[in-house]
Amino acid sequence: MAAGGDRAADDARSTLAARLNYLFANMHPPGAPYTNSHVADEITNGDEYGETGLTEQYLSMLRNGRRANPSPDVLRALAKFFAVPVGYLMGDLTASQAERVEEEVRFLVAMRDQRVRAIALRSVGLPPEVQDSLTTIISQFRQQMNLPSDPPDAGGEGRP
């Protein structure tokens, strides 16, 4: 039964509505997430989106799954707005490619935090062994606070 539930969760995450909601929840400037109205207005009135028109109501229907097949122009505009590949919204990426996009989103979210950004920037230019020592120290602090040694969405080495 658990496997079926896991599959249902994976299927739900693979829908356009789930991908849009993920972007709305994560890809925004510091502060409050974007509203449907804001995104629709930006796309409709922004020169960089061409002649694409998008209403708040239609965007709401896309996000709640009542509409699932927007035009390619709408998908391209939404992808451009959220700075993700259009294939992510279309569901054309492999699971590993989609996970990579979401990993980059999580990275950008983490970098919105001024303290996280300051720690990352201060480590630039330090020798690799010093960066490794800092990573160890941070992992020890996380362990003392009963957190996993690495955040669950931590990427691999060499992240830009």
Side-chain angles (χ1 to χ4, degrees):
M1 182 107 178
D6 291 344
R7 177 150 170 74
D10 290 343
D11 289 347
R13 187 171 180 162
S14 69
T15 67
L16 173 62
R19 291 187 298 271
L20 275 174
N21 287 322
Y22 180 80
L23 294 173
F24 267 87
N26 293 288
M27 289 295 287
H28 55 82
Y34 291 124
T35 63
N36 290 341
S37 176
H38 176 80
V39 173
D41 287 346
E42 287 290 318
I43 288 174
T44 299
N45 298 317
D47 292 335
E48 65 269 28
Y49 304 104
E51 299 289 318
T52 304
L54 183 62
T55 66
E56 174 183 358
Q57 295 78 16
Y58 185 66
L59 186 51
S60 175
M61 288 188 281
L62 290 173
R63 290 186 66 194
N64 67 28
R66 290 190 6 225
R67 294 286 188 270
N69 291 317
S71 73
D73 288 341
V74 167
L75 286 173
R76 278 192 292 274
L78 286 166
K80 185 173 211 164
F81 181 86
F82 287 110
V84 296
V86 71
Y88 175 74
L89 289 176
M90 295 175 68
D92 285 348
L93 302 182
T94 65
S96 64
Q97 290 170 326
E99 178 55 34
R100 178 70 178 159
V101 170
E102 291 174 0
E103 182 180 313
E104 291 298 322
V105 168
R106 289 188 297 269
F107 173 74
L108 292 172
V109 168
M111 294 310 289
R112 278 197 307 242
D113 184 317
Q114 186 176 4
R115 290 181 188 112
V116 171
R117 209 171 39 248
I119 291 168
L121 290 173
R122 284 187 176 109
S123 71
V124 171
L126 295 174
E129 59 275 5
V130 174
Q131 291 177 348
D132 291 342
S133 295
L134 290 172
T135 300
T136 300
I137 292 167
I138 291 170
S139 293
Q140 290 170 349
F141 275 116
R142 292 183 64 82
Q143 185 177 22
Q144 288 174 358
M145 300 182 83
N146 294 321
L147 296 169
S149 61
D150 289 315
D153 51 42
E157 296 177 31
R159 174 184 288 286

